[in-house]
Amino acid sequence: MRRSLLVSALVLALAGCQSAPAPRVAPEAAPQPAAAPAVESPAAHDNLNALAWMQAAEEYRLATGQTYRAALAQLDRAIKTPDWDALVPSERANPPDGLPPAVIFDIDETVLDNSPYQARLLRDGGFYEETTWDAWVREEKAQPIPGALEFARAAAARGVTLFYVSNRAVHLDEPTLANLRAAGFPVDDNTRFLGLGHFVEGCEQIGTEKGCRRQLIGRTHRVLMQFGDQIGDMVTIEANNPAGRQAALEPYLGWFGERWWVLPNPTYGSWEPALFNNAWSLPEAERRRLKYQALDYAE
């Protein structure tokens, strides 16, 4: 009996020795994995979603395309209607009857897409300034807004003169015209670009408003349509606040979708400073607080 117990104990001891894993020794030359680099979170920027929508969303291209297609459907009726005019009475200094037809385009975010410039600002944590904007314009890289080129060519083929009224400074006329032509837009001569600083005899310029330049076009042409991404591309805004903007467009609500055509642009515009009393000198956090204050919470 004692011998049997001794044998059993030896067997269990041997089994225990066999099941114990041998210690593993890492080779001396085994490379160690490098630590993963720390990933910085991008800085918050008010423009991120707006810019991503313009560059990546099919809905943006559909919205601009349907705007220009709808305008083209109205164009022949506008040409054939003698009293059809897209200038407000205060900017019409002479009767339009018998004058050759014209269309007025804003440029930026209306016929040319500058979202790459906005993307650079977002990436670099910057904001609009004249030096970086001038440099971008001189690159002449802006591409057509979806739908704009097709409409512009169709209008020119019908004998309509195209004017490009922009708040790009007049000293940017050469790269602007070169960019428009490279993108395929009809530009029959250099006088079709009327930039900020263009002097109009007999008309007093109000800030950056385009009223004088529209009046100048109206002296020689019957304006069939106007295209822009801001209210000020069609009519002068006397006070850039919510009430003033509403007052400027209220008498002409029936013209939108017929004589006036608005392109979507959530990335910038006079609508933004209207929310903080045009006070760009305020700290960014305060401007953002006032934007929050302008929201409707249905409470």
Side-chain angles (χ1 to χ4, degrees):
M1 181 67 175
R2 292 175 63 185
R3 183 179 179 182
S4 298
L5 291 173
L6 182 58
V7 170
S8 298
L10 289 171
V11 169
L12 290 172
L14 288 171
C17 291
Q18 290 175 350
S19 62
R24 299 180 63 184
V25 179
E28 292 183 6
Q32 298 299 312
V39 178
E40 289 189 23
S41 297
H45 199 295
D46 285 3
N47 228 0
L48 176 57
N49 264 15
L51 185 58
W53 182 74
M54 288 184 70
Q55 289 199 341
E58 291 300 329
E59 288 82 355
Y60 171 70
R61 286 176 280 281
L62 291 171
T64 61
Q66 74 183 8
T67 297
Y68 278 111
R69 284 195 302 275
L72 186 56
Q74 296 268 21
L75 185 60
D76 288 330
R77 183 164 73 94
I79 293 171
K80 295 174 183 177
T81 306
D83 60 350
W84 184 297
D85 189 33
L87 289 185
V88 301
S90 61
E91 295 176 3
R92 169 57 69 188
N94 52 295
D97 301 356
L99 296 178
V103 163
I104 296 177
F105 293 107
D106 172 54
I107 293 179
D108 300 309
E109 281 51 73
T110 298
V111 297
L112 290 181
D113 173 13
N114 300 286
S115 63
Y117 169 71
Q118 297 289 330
R120 294 177 188 180
L121 295 180
L122 193 153
R123 177 196 63 195
D124 300 337
F127 295 91
Y128 170 88
E129 58 180 10
E130 289 187 9
T131 53
T132 58
W133 171 250
D134 282 18
W136 161 254
V137 171
R138 294 183 189 284
E139 289 184 38
E140 302 173 16
K141 288 182 178 178
Q143 297 299 306
I145 294 291
L149 187 58
E150 294 78 5
F151 177 89
R153 288 174 169 174
R158 288 164 168 76
V160 177
T161 300
L162 309 182
F163 287 91
Y164 303 89
V165 179
S166 169
N167 279 343
R168 291 186 175 199
V170 291
H171 71 263
L172 295 172
D173 59 346
E174 290 186 8
T176 296
L177 289 163
N179 197 161
L180 287 168
R181 289 178 170 126
F185 286 96
V187 185
D188 51 10
D189 67 64
N190 291 2
T191 64
R192 304 312 183 202
F193 168 67
L194 284 72
L196 183 63
H198 187 97
F199 175 72
V200 179
E201 187 175 357
C203 185
E204 183 178 353
Q205 175 72 39
I206 302 173
T208 60
E209 293 293 335
K210 299 179 176 181
C212 287
R213 285 169 280 170
R214 290 190 291 258
Q215 184 188 124
L216 178 65
I217 295 168
R219 293 174 186 175
T220 56
H221 289 78
R222 178 167 66 98
V223 180
L224 304 180
M225 295 178 177
Q226 297 194 65
F227 293 83
D229 62 306
Q230 301 188 48
I231 298 169
D233 293 328
M234 293 90 172
V235 63
T236 297
I237 301 173
E238 299 292 344
N240 190 46
N241 53 48
R245 291 165 62 81
Q246 182 67 27
L249 65 85
E250 190 69 34
Y252 307 104
L253 290 177
W255 286 17
F256 288 94
E258 184 184 72
R259 306 182 194 194
W260 293 354
W261 302 87
V262 181
L263 282 301
N265 177 12
T267 63
Y268 68 88
S270 57
W271 58 269
E272 182 184 6
L275 301 179
F276 48 81
N277 199 31
N278 306 288
W280 284 107
S281 59
L282 290 174
E284 183 182 2
E286 177 62 10
R287 300 199 304 268
R288 185 176 293 122
R289 186 190 70 80
L290 292 171
K291 291 181 191 178
Y292 271 107
Q293 186 174 298
L295 298 179
D296 179 4
Y297 297 96
E299 293 178 343

